[in-house]
Amino acid sequence: MPESSLPPLVLLAAGNSSRMMEETGTPKGLLDYHGIPWLEAQIQHFIQMGGSRVVVVLGAHQNVYLDQVPSLEKTRERWVDQSNFAIVSVINPQPQRGPFS
């Protein structure tokens, strides 16, 4: 796993995104940001800053995320080394309990 002086980035994408879903029909992390999902843009920016480890927490809309960002499927529950960073995605089985569940 690559080393960095930065702590791992933890991206919380497990929530219901109820207001955003109401307005756009899309979870916040999948909103378009310069042609890519917001979630992917956050990972790219973190790597550019020198980060090397990313944890993505999925939950309420996990199937939508996995469909829109297929690379997350191969990282489920295990670290996967990329060329300059490592990533893992985990599933929060009870996202309705909030961000600390």
Side-chain angles (χ1 to χ4, degrees):
M1 187 175 326
E3 291 299 321
S4 170
S5 60
L6 294 174
L9 171 66
V10 179
L11 287 171
L12 301 178
N16 205 24
S17 293
S18 56
R19 291 184 302 255
M20 190 60 64
M21 290 294 289
E22 222 173 84
E23 285 185 37
T24 67
T26 302
K28 286 181 268 194
L30 294 176
L31 289 175
D32 183 272
Y33 180 79
H34 300 289
I36 61 172
W38 177 254
L39 180 98
E40 286 188 85
Q42 294 302 304
I43 294 170
Q44 287 179 8
H45 289 284
F46 180 69
I47 301 311
Q48 290 169 355
M49 291 174 40
S52 65
R53 293 176 293 156
V54 178
V55 178
V56 178
V57 182
L58 302 173
H61 300 289
Q62 66 181 307
N63 293 332
V64 179
Y65 277 93
L66 295 172
D67 285 344
Q68 297 285 322
V69 187
S71 61
L72 289 176
E73 182 64 48
K74 67 181 178 185
T75 68
R76 281 184 62 178
E77 307 297 331
R78 64 187 176 98
W79 285 98
V80 174
D81 285 331
Q82 305 292 321
S83 59
N84 57 347
F85 71 100
I87 184 169
V88 64
S89 59
V90 296
I91 306 299
N92 178 347
Q94 296 181 323
Q96 68 278 6
R97 294 183 64 209
F100 297 105
S101 62

